[in-house]
Structures are given as C-alpha cells and as structure tokens.
Amino acid sequence: MRWRWFVVLGAAVLLVALPAAVQHRPGGGPPTRPTADVLARIQASADVGWSGRAQSTGTLQLPSSDSFATLGTLLGEQVELRAWWRGEDSWRVDRVRSTGETDTFRDGRGQVRWVFESERATYSPVSTIRLPDAVDVLPPSLGRDLFQGAQVDEVAFLQGRRIAGVDAVGFVLRPSDPASTVGRVEAWFEPTTWLPLRVDLYGRGGTTPVLSTTLTELDLRPPAVSAVRFDPPASVALAYEESTDVAAAANGLELADLPSSVAGLPTRDGRDPGAVGVYGRGPTTMIVFPLRGSVARPLREQLERNAGTTQTSAGTLAPVGPISVLLTRLPGRGGGFLLAGTVTPETLTAAAAQLQERA
C-alpha cells in the first residue's frame, strides 16, 4: 500500500507547484517577423483595445515642486494603476492609492480628472504637449514611446517571460545616440498584437532598472464605451481648466518660439515646435519650455538643495540618475528655460547655449 501514498503525495505536490511553474515558465521564443516589421507593429498596437491592472516602480528622486508633483510620484514611487483602453483618444486610467484614487478619462479632444476623496472633477482640453501622467507609465504607452524611432541595429531578441498570463516575447533596445543617458530598455510584448506588457528602463552602466512597469492583469477584449465614460454623481460640478499642466500652459501662451532642432536632436514628431519642444527619439528624449518667474524661482530653489546640483554659465544643472535637468535664467524676469530629459548634461548645456543665441 505504501506506493499508493507516494502517488498521492506526488500528485499533491504537483497540484501545489503547477500554478507557480505556469506563472514563471519562460515566455515566447524569437519572432519569425523581420525586426523592422515588429517595430512597426509595436507602434500600431495603440489601436489595440484592452483592459487590466499595472504596477509601476520608479527610483528617481526629482525635486519637490507643486508644478511637478505628479511627475515626481510617477518616477520615484510605486504606483498601482487600472486601465481601460479603446484607443489613443478613448481611455480611462485610475491611479489607486491607500487614501483614495485619481481617475483620468480621455474622450476625444478633452479629458476629465476625477479625485475620488475630494469629489473634485476637472475638465481640460487635451494638449499635444504636456508632462508625463499616469497613462504614460502604463507598459503599452511607455513601451511604444521608448521604441519610437528605434533602428533595427539597436534592437536584439531577449528571453521571453510569462507576464499577465501571456507567453511574452522579449526585446532589448540599446540606443546608439551618444547624447543618451539610457543604457538599455528591456521590454516584453504580446506576440499577436505586439502590445507592450512590461518595460524596464536602465541608465548607462546600471544593473537595476530606474523605472519598471508591468501589467499584472490583462484582458485583450476592447472595453465597452461605458467603461471609459465619466458619469459624475449628481452632487458634483464639473470645473474647467485651460491647461492640464505647466508645460501645456506654456505651450498655449507661446512665450517663446523654439527651433526644430537643438543640440543635434530633432523634434520627435518632425514638426516645428511652438513654445515647448520635445526632441530626440526612442528613450533619448529632451523637453524644453519657458517658465515664468513664479514657477522658475521655487523650482530653482529646490534644485539648489540637491547635493549634485552645480551652477554653470548655462544655469542651474542637476542630474537625477539618467535624467538631467537644467534651468536657465532670463535676464530681468526671474524666469528661464527648463531643459530636462534622458540626455547628458553636455547636451543640455549645448541646447541652452543655442537658445540663448536666439533670445
């Protein structure tokens, strides 16, 4: 009879171990498609409908500033997210916290931000230029952004992983641009839709990611329209704001006219920018925009408190991991240009010099 007990025990062990083995087994193998086709499919995945949960973890300690508070949270803390995605102009993203949640609804050219605990709802028009928000650290959004403009010789196959119940295909992107402070991007994709499921961003020489975001649950069925529509309680009045953040406000006021290329980096969309410019490609990116004195002064004070901050002829320079920040001065007005991104301090300094020549 003893052998029967061994069979029962063995079966029990298998039943307990099977879920863990399924969860951690290697994902998909190398794709049969050409790499150029894969890169195109990754960008096209913006049209794929899905819903699920995600977790993002950042280790970057950005300066504390009211104008950049949300950005500091997204890049420096662990963030829990829920998302329903019908397309780039129709989605909902909830940032869930222990004290409540903040939900953002995108509907065409407008968006609503709903703060649950304060019962405050605010509508604002969508700007083509804005600071990163919760939607931008979702693996699909971040993956598409980091692989935008990637060249075939910068990309290589990476061992697959099991992510959110999917045997995901992996790729590693190593940017060749000498201006970049990013060492590599590791990402895994759903092999049918090429939807990014997990993204790990490493600084140059880094052994641990400075930003990691992964889907923990995934449903590849397009969500219903009702899932992304904001239906406020009867007691809530919808307020209106002209701009979603300080970058959108600066772009709308047209405080400056930026060039189409700075420090050798062209605009990401190939268009001539207005008051705010976003330059580079893939993980090598830099944003430039003017700040009024009321915003620039407290930010400059925060930057000066950082141990790594230096005062240069170009302005106040503060590297934060792979992100470099430079705040220039505009004579007599207290304001300045803010330049920030995953580029070297030398690149920011060259860009600032180019802007001062135009001023």
Side-chain angles (χ1 to χ4, degrees), residues 121-314:
T122 306
Y123 173 88
S124 59
V126 174
S127 174
T128 56
I129 299 293
R130 59 176 177 78
L131 295 177
D133 205 346
V135 64
D136 301 297
V137 296
L138 288 172
S141 301
L142 185 62
R144 283 190 293 268
D145 191 47
L146 294 178
F147 276 75
Q148 176 266 338
Q151 299 171 357
V152 171
D153 59 358
E154 296 176 315
V155 178
F157 172 71
L158 190 65
Q159 176 64 48
R161 296 180 66 165
R162 183 78 173 172
I163 300 172
V166 175
D167 288 327
V169 177
F171 278 96
V172 58
L173 166 63
R174 292 184 172 86
S176 59
D177 197 323
S180 182
T181 55
V182 173
R184 69 186 188 278
V185 177
E186 296 181 353
W188 289 265
F189 306 87
E190 199 282 323
T192 303
T193 62
W194 290 98
L195 188 77
L197 305 181
R198 179 184 176 107
V199 179
D200 293 338
L201 176 68
Y202 294 79
R204 279 187 182 176
T207 57
T208 58
V210 295
L211 179 63
S212 178
T213 178
T214 184
L215 286 175
T216 56
E217 297 179 11
L218 175 65
D219 185 343
L220 279 172
R221 293 173 297 182
V225 174
S226 59
V228 300
R229 180 186 297 131
F230 178 63
D231 293 319
S235 59
V236 174
L238 191 63
Y240 177 82
E241 289 184 351
E242 293 184 358
S243 305
T244 57
D245 56 47
V246 64
N251 195 53
L253 292 174
E254 297 187 357
L255 299 173
D257 183 19
L258 298 180
S260 58
S261 176
V262 290
L265 299 176
T267 55
R268 287 182 74 92
D269 60 7
R271 301 177 182 176
D272 190 38
V276 179
V278 183
Y279 301 88
R281 64 177 178 85
T284 307
T285 187
M286 176 177 64
I287 186 170
V288 179
F289 59 96
L291 294 179
R292 294 185 181 277
S294 58
V295 178
R297 280 190 292 269
L299 177 59
R300 188 176 288 111
E301 292 174 359
Q302 288 290 337
L303 291 174
E304 290 172 350
R305 295 193 185 104
N306 288 0
T309 298
T310 58
Q311 297 296 332
T312 71
S313 58

Side-chain angles (χ1 to χ4, degrees), residues 2-164:
R2 184 178 300 176
W3 66 271
R4 294 185 181 179
W5 289 109
F6 280 116
V7 171
V8 173
L9 179 61
V13 170
L14 284 174
L15 288 173
V16 172
L18 184 59
V22 169
Q23 179 67 24
H24 295 96
R25 74 173 188 262
T32 56
R33 294 177 177 272
T35 301
D37 186 30
V38 169
L39 294 175
R41 293 290 299 275
I42 291 171
Q43 298 304 311
S45 70
D47 295 330
V48 175
W50 63 276
S51 60
R53 290 177 176 267
Q55 184 180 86
S56 172
T57 303
T59 62
L60 300 175
Q61 300 304 308
L62 296 183
S64 175
S65 170
D66 291 341
S67 299
F68 305 94
T70 299
L71 183 59
T73 298
L74 293 174
L75 299 182
E77 299 179 12
Q78 181 171 296
V79 180
E80 302 290 337
L81 302 167
R82 292 194 302 255
W84 295 260
W85 185 277
R86 290 176 53 83
E88 290 186 284
D89 295 332
S90 180
W91 47 260
R92 171 184 173 180
V93 176
D94 299 350
R95 181 161 64 93
V96 184
R97 307 181 306 280
S98 59
T99 57
E101 64 183 64
T102 299
D103 307 342
T104 304
F105 300 78
R106 172 72 184 269
D107 181 16
R109 296 184 177 181
Q111 73 175 38
V112 175
R113 189 179 301 273
W114 163 248
V115 182
F116 180 79
E117 56 268 34
S118 65
E119 293 192 342
R120 182 187 180 196
T122 306
Y123 173 88
S124 59
V126 174
S127 174
T128 56
I129 299 293
R130 59 176 177 78
L131 295 177
D133 205 346
V135 64
D136 301 297
V137 296
L138 288 172
S141 301
L142 185 62
R144 283 190 293 268
D145 191 47
L146 294 178
F147 276 75
Q148 176 266 338
Q151 299 171 357
V152 171
D153 59 358
E154 296 176 315
V155 178
F157 172 71
L158 190 65
Q159 176 64 48
R161 296 180 66 165
R162 183 78 173 172
I163 300 172

